[in-house]
Amino acid sequence: MTLPHLPADLAQRLLAYYDEYGRDLPWRQQQDLYRIWLSEIMLQQTGVKTVMPYYEKFLSHFPSITQLAAASQEQVLAQWQGLGYYRRARMLHQAAQQVVQQHGGLFPEEITQVQALPGIGPSTAAAILAIGRNQAHTILDGNVMRVLARLLTLELPVDSTPGKQRLWQVARQLTSQQRPGDYAQAIMDLGATLCTRSQPACSRCPWGGACAARQHGSWAEYPKKREKKPKPHHYQCMWVLLDTQQRIFLRKRPLEGLLGGLWEPLGEPLLETPPLGNLVQRASHHLTALGIQGQPLLEAQPVDHIFTHFRLTVYPILVVAASGAPILNDANWWPLAQLDQRPIATLHRKVNENAVGLVELSLNG
DNA sequence: AAATCGGGGCC
DNA sequence: GGCCCAGATTT
């Protein structure tokens, strides 16, 4: 593939911009590979603003790789709860244990060893060693793809194989060999603060003079993406079991797959769309079959949730149950007051809240 | 090459 | 309402 014609001083211009306007972020200005690693994992498919409150809290619970490795998966997931993409947390935990076993607790500094760790791909491995050790590696994330697609007015979809090959090639060509770490952070800052998805600040861009999209006034057309397929809509009924001791009954989801290792109420998928029939009556039938003694009471406010690739509507049913534990694996009663110590997806916290809210309503009324 | 994997910020 | 985000992994 031929190299595009680009000015030779782009990296230098970008670094000058970064030196003056670079963001001051908690994981910058230090060389602790553990902290840089953690920030990179949290920031995968997640914005800086969302990550910020999680970052310091996670570090206060797990100050070192050794302490992270020694923690239980339950504890790690509890600190991750609400951030999404929970597989990231499970792989981070696995990788910490791998670092302890294979590298004596010291994060590796050779890129093939770094990329061999779970959850660390080409871009994250490059980012960690470029930022932490100023090694000359190249990153390619969503910000960089947008910046480069506009710079080149790239017609290939950035999420296609040929599009990515082209972007990697150009990204490598542009990377500063003198200051690869600052360059990596600088180009991410450029995408996050100037070359934004909507209304980019082209007039202040250090690459404005070289940008094909700016020259043609066509920034809105890039990056191009492949056509995406519509999301299916699924429905589910969930039974929120409460006992007289202010406890709630939850089961643990399988460790692999969607929301792996997180706790949720019992329930059943609904094949009808939208659901038909009396959900309270149906809940009663199912709970009896499970050997649960209790009275399904009320239908709470449904919870609508958008996942990456499908939409889910959950209909919560409040059930006041006897304390006798149903015979189920990976299931238990947990005090309502201590639910924040348990990993529970945002979706299921809302389901619980809506059902518990009915109890408080009936008590007050 | 395509599918899987969350949640919040922002327009 | 859709789009996006410091992507990696699995099939």
Side-chain angles (χ1 to χ4, degrees), chain A residues 88-361:
Chain A
R88 291 182 298 173
R90 297 198 304 270
M91 290 191 294
L92 177 73
H93 189 211
Q94 288 173 22
Q97 296 174 337
Q98 203 166 312
V99 168
V100 168
Q101 290 170 5
Q102 300 178 2
H103 306 288
L106 291 178
F107 195 86
E109 302 192 10
E110 206 282 309
I111 193 162
T112 59
Q113 293 183 335
V114 173
Q115 201 179 326
L117 294 170
I120 301 182
S123 189
T124 300
I128 295 169
L129 292 181
I131 295 170
R133 291 294 181 272
N134 202 39
Q135 292 183 17
H137 303 300
T138 296
I139 65 161
L140 184 63
D141 63 12
N143 281 315
V144 179
M145 287 189 200
R146 182 173 57 255
V147 171
L148 297 186
R150 286 172 175 168
L151 182 70
L152 306 172
T153 57
L154 183 71
E155 300 303 324
L156 295 167
V158 296
D159 51 356
S160 68
T161 298
K164 278 184 203 154
Q165 283 178 345
R166 182 63 167 170
L167 289 170
W168 271 112
Q169 179 202 33
V170 175
R172 280 192 292 268
Q173 179 188 344
L174 289 173
T175 299
S176 165
Q177 299 300 302
Q178 288 72 39
R179 299 171 60 191
D182 287 340
Y183 176 86
Q185 302 189 78
I187 195 169
M188 289 189 284
D189 273 14
L190 180 63
T193 62
L194 295 185
C195 196
T196 50
R197 180 172 64 86
S198 60
Q199 295 186 303
C202 297
S203 62
R204 287 184 284 152
C205 181
W207 284 0
C211 181
R214 185 188 183 192
Q215 187 180 339
H216 296 106
S218 60
W219 58 262
E221 296 175 28
Y222 304 93
K224 293 192 184 300
K225 300 217 168 175
R226 290 179 306 180
E227 197 173 344
K228 59 181 180 304
K229 68 175 205 178
K231 297 178 180 182
H233 191 164
H234 298 148
Y235 299 82
Q236 189 172 29
C237 186
M238 295 197 113
W239 316 310
V240 179
L241 275 66
L242 299 176
D243 70 4
T244 55
Q245 305 170 52
Q246 300 284 81
R247 297 186 306 174
I248 185 171
F249 192 78
L250 301 173
R251 67 156 183 153
K252 192 177 189 174
R253 295 177 61 92
L255 294 184
E256 296 306 319
L258 183 72
L259 304 176
L262 277 67
W263 295 79
E264 67 178 4
L266 304 180
E268 61 156 343
L270 299 170
L271 300 182
E272 313 87 9
T273 58
L276 304 170
N278 187 330
L279 292 179
V280 171
Q281 207 165 32
R282 288 174 55 161
S284 180
H285 179 259
H286 280 97
L287 291 171
T288 302
L290 281 172
I292 298 170
Q293 306 207 340
Q295 191 59 42
L297 291 177
L298 295 166
E299 200 169 325
Q301 186 71 27
V303 178
D304 208 21
H305 192 79
I306 310 288
F307 287 91
T308 306
H309 52 297
F310 68 95
R311 173 179 171 181
L312 179 65
T313 303
V314 178
Y315 297 82
I317 304 294
L318 170 64
V319 181
V320 173
S323 301
I327 310 298
L328 288 172
N329 290 332
D330 294 319
N332 209 349
W333 292 97
W334 299 105
L336 279 174
Q338 297 169 20
L339 278 194
D340 57 337
Q341 298 172 24
R342 209 136 299 285
I344 299 169
T346 301
L347 154 71
H348 296 128
R349 287 193 187 275
K350 288 179 186 167
V351 170
N352 293 338
E353 283 171 16
N354 288 4
V356 172
L358 286 181
V359 176
E360 290 161 358
L361 272 182

Side-chain angles (χ1 to χ4, degrees), chain A residues 27 38-39 42-44 46-56 83 88:
Chain A
W27 42 85
L38 176 64
S39 73
M42 283 190 167
L43 286 160
Q44 286 173 359
T46 307
V48 167
K49 195 163 189 175
T50 302
V51 164
M52 211 71 95
Y54 283 87
Y55 180 71
E56 296 291 350
L83 251 190
R88 291 182 298 173

